[in-house]
Amino acid sequence: MESRVIIFLVLSLIIIAAFPYFLTRMGIQAPESITEQSSKQDVKPNTNKNNAANSFQNGTATTFPTEGIASSTSLVLQPDQIQPLETLKVIESDLYRVVLSSRGGTIKEWQLKKYTSADAKGVEQPVQLVPPAGAELPLAITLPEDLSYQDQSYAFDATTLQLDKNSPTGKVVMTASLPDGRSITKEIVFHNDQYQADITIQTEGLGSGYRLLLGSNFGITDWENTMGGKVGPISMIDGKVVTEHPEQTTVTYEKGATWFGLNDRYFMSVLIPRPDEARSSPDVVAPAPTVSVQGISEHEFLTSIRIPGNQRKASFTLYAGPKEYDRLVSYRQYLEESIDFGWFIYGSWLPVRLVAKPLFYVLRFIYGLTQNYGFSIILLTILLKLLLHPITKKSLVSMKQMAALQPKVTQIRDKWANNKEKMNKELMNLYRDTGINPLGGCMPILLQMPIFIALFNILYITIDLKNAPFVFWITDLSAKDPYYVLPIVMGATMIIQQMTQPSTMDPTQAKIMMFMPVIYTFFFLTFPSGLVLYWLVNNVLSIAQQYWINKQAPAST
């Protein structure tokens, strides 16, 4: 039995802790500050990793230094090299701040006001969903016959759009026209109380259709925390969640796309086509749009949708914000499936998911009473301990009985060391005569594993704990304890727990097990403090439970 305990603990350590520490990191530059009207432009080389013909360049007016240049040297820009003046429009709401650019009619910034993350200097800043180094900006449009159209200048009213309770919605209309009569009009309706924009695109003269880009890495803020689900592209295809990660290639879905986008642990951007509004006239039935997921690099992906030429009007709902469960459910498009409650190692498992969702509802119900997720975690842990007490009691009693029987087990092993068959037979006879099940201590632990994994997923991947304070120095239960108090105390409780539990191990195995609290403490140093709090409370309750069982059920041989 002791070997099974060791295997269980080591496996649980690998599953819970070791996986994320072998992932590579990607540095992200800090976003540049902007104003509503840009007046400067830096001439930069094309940085589009997809080798597209055009990429976005910052700024508007082209200037060149004169010092150090010989008088005989001249630099002349051709007319097609001169970029038009870039105009920016700001949309302010209670939930977000969006900046639109006239260059390509794109989204240049999408900041979330209620969520923050630490920058390189440790200063908390609003979460920015549009990466500053992305190859493509959201809502860019490309034409198969004219790649230069992607940077076409759009005309719109640059006045800041302020949304509030009195003005819950606001519309922005952007239009790009060419001398040959072709035109694109983007109509975007923003909502004050939703991370949502309703987009309608109307075209004239685009016989070959166009491709609407959601943007590269739009919605991805963290590549490091991939445990609990995949970071990158995510789509709902034929009623199933698909997380393709193509590398330097493109995956295309000809039909069946309910929505598509990009996501990480806490945030996502999703484009939801509205096919009921896709007809340009009652007599024209538009074919199903084609969705593409393109791998630009290991940590950069681009998603887009192809609109055919006979569809002059296309409508979408854009969601760009946190993966708040209730908010996602309200769309009735199964966006909540992007939260993988059933994650376990490399896949999603139904038994874990079936346990996790009820626990998630209970946790939020308790939060409704306490208004503090730290106390809610403590109360949920106590509740689980009470519910699992019969199973845990059976396991601890069995371990105590096995510890009391250990001298006889050792005697049989020593006596029949050279005859394995006889030794196993004598051990089985001993267990049968005493009525002790040698697996009685392990099976209850294994039965509790789906509950443990489910609770781990809830505390690790749900955004409810992000920026949620507990007490004193714990101001964010989704972040590590800045002073490492919780993981150190947790490690101490693990040592006490080992000392109170009965052991059937030999001295060598016991020494190995003494290192487990140290290893667990080391890995838990950077774990979310909410998860460490659960483990700490669970250890304290287990110590009290073991003490009570020792008092109530003395071992007998």
Side-chain angles (χ1 to χ4, degrees), residues 236 239 241 258-259 328-329 331-338:
M236 175 69 74
V241 174
T258 305
W259 48 262
L328 299 182
V329 169
Y331 284 86
R332 299 182 179 180
Q333 298 287 342
Y334 301 102
L335 293 178
E336 69 275 10
E337 294 300 316
S338 62

Side-chain angles (χ1 to χ4, degrees), residues 279-293:
R279 297 185 180 186
S280 57
S281 69
D283 300 327
V284 177
V285 178
T290 300
V291 170
S292 298
V293 178

Side-chain angles (χ1 to χ4, degrees), residues 167-189:
S167 301
T169 62
K171 181 191 296 186
V172 177
V173 178
M174 302 186 290
T175 302
S177 301
L178 289 181
D180 59 8
R182 292 181 300 169
S183 67
I184 296 179
T185 299
K186 299 178 183 178
E187 181 181 291
I188 308 175
V189 178

